[in-house]
Amino acid sequence: KAGVTQTPRYLIKTRGQQVTLSCSPISGHRSVSWYQQTPGQGLQFLFEYFSETQRNKGNFPGRFSGRQFSNSRSEMNVSTLELGDSALYLCASSPYSGRSSYNEQFFGPGTRLTVL
Amino acid sequence: SQQGEEDPQALSIQEGENATMNCSYKTSINNLQWYRQNSGRGLVHLILIRSNEREKHSGRLRVTLDTSKKSSSLLITASRAADTASYFCANYNNNDMRFGAGTRLTVKP
């Protein structure tokens, strides 16, 4: 099976712009999660989607949003970019088997976003 | 905010030596997972241990879990230069994954 793919891999934007990142999960995986990784804050959970519905959301402002399509592909959008949004954005997919247990997550290579 | 804390933050050893990393967490968990990240890339899942398990092995990896102390340890035996990476513990609680700050392991050839 092909792994999780993320596009683009690198992105440079300026403050105030918006950006859309894309994630294609492993075939058959219905859960997609997004994370932000920075040197200062480490890995932080953004949100999780399952069957086109947002199941969980981390503690991020409303400028961060996402969606999932019927084929499980997911996008995340950041509007009005700030310098502090510069980070590695990681997408992970997981085979969902119920709330009582949570399977391992399979991560993509990430999108490196630089905000100037 | 992060759920877990890894200890030590950085570890440097020689090839062939064992490496031990510890992780503490704050709330009850369903399971705890360990991941590896090579510099600036995606994470790779190493091992998952459920809350009712105390020890688990996978190749050169051994993970222990002490729910009474809310802590876990990852032991890598006979380390190799290719083990150089950052290692994170993560736990699933209330439907989201929380990662620790990570241990940066350097294995010198």
Side-chain angles (χ1 to χ4, degrees):
Chain A
K1 281 186 180 178
V4 177
T5 58
Q6 292 186 246
T7 57
R9 292 292 310 279
Y10 302 91
L11 203 51
I12 299 175
K13 292 285 189 179
T14 56
R15 278 183 300 173
Q17 288 187 310
Q18 74 156 15
V19 67
T20 299
L21 311 181
S22 181
C23 171
S24 292
I26 291 172
S27 177
H29 287 193
R30 298 167 65 188
S31 168
V32 174
S33 297
W34 288 89
Y35 297 86
Q36 181 197 64
Q37 186 176 30
T38 61
Q41 298 297 317
L43 269 158
Q44 293 189 287
F45 171 76
L46 279 157
F47 25 66
E48 183 209 357
Y49 286 87
F50 176 76
S51 291
E52 301 179 66
T53 301
Q54 185 181 88
R55 287 206 305 169
N56 295 291
K57 190 176 192 304
N59 189 26
F60 278 81
R63 300 186 295 108
F64 292 82
S65 64
R67 58 177 175 168
Q68 186 180 34
F69 302 95
S70 58
N71 62 357
S72 294
R73 190 177 70 84
S74 178
E75 289 181 347
M76 68 161 282
N77 184 276
V78 188
S79 63
T80 319
L81 284 166
E82 301 176 359
L83 296 179
D85 297 333
S86 293
L88 181 66
Y89 289 87
L90 294 163
C91 166
S93 72
S94 177
Y96 178 68
S97 64
R99 288 176 179 271
S100 63
S101 66
Y102 199 91
N103 293 298
E104 66 183 274
Q105 295 196 60
F106 295 80
F107 282 80
T111 294
R112 174 75 63 184
L113 171 65
T114 301
V115 182
L116 303 176
Chain B
S1 60
Q2 292 165 342
Q3 169 75 300
E5 293 293 334
E6 279 91 345
D7 168 47
Q9 290 187 340
L11 181 61
S12 182
I13 59 175
Q14 295 293 137
E15 248 186 343
E17 294 181 337
N18 296 341
T20 300
M21 289 160 267
N22 303 297
C23 165
S24 61
Y25 55 92
K26 298 175 182 175
T27 64
S28 61
I29 59 172
N30 300 102
N31 64 59
L32 187 138
Q33 303 179 34
W34 285 88
Y35 288 81
R36 182 187 75 228
Q37 184 180 35
N38 291 90
S39 184
R41 302 180 68 179
L43 280 73
V44 174
H45 181 266
L46 296 175
I47 196 164
L48 180 155
I49 185 164
R50 302 195 187 282
S51 59
N52 61 353
E53 297 176 311
R54 293 295 168 260
E55 187 171 311
K56 203 160 183 181
H57 296 255
S58 177
R60 294 184 295 113
L61 306 179
R62 171 179 169 252
V63 168
T64 62
L65 179 64
D66 187 334
T67 53
S68 67
K69 296 181 179 178
K70 291 186 168 59
S71 68
S72 174
S73 68
L74 169 67
L75 168 68
I76 304 174
T77 60
S79 63
R80 306 166 182 167
D83 294 329
T84 294
S86 291
Y87 292 82
F88 297 88
C89 67
N91 63 80
Y92 168 59
N93 182 266
N94 291 331
N95 296 325
D96 75 67
M97 292 285 284
R98 299 294 178 94
F99 285 83
T103 292
R104 176 68 190 170
L105 173 66
T106 301
V107 181
K108 300 174 184 176

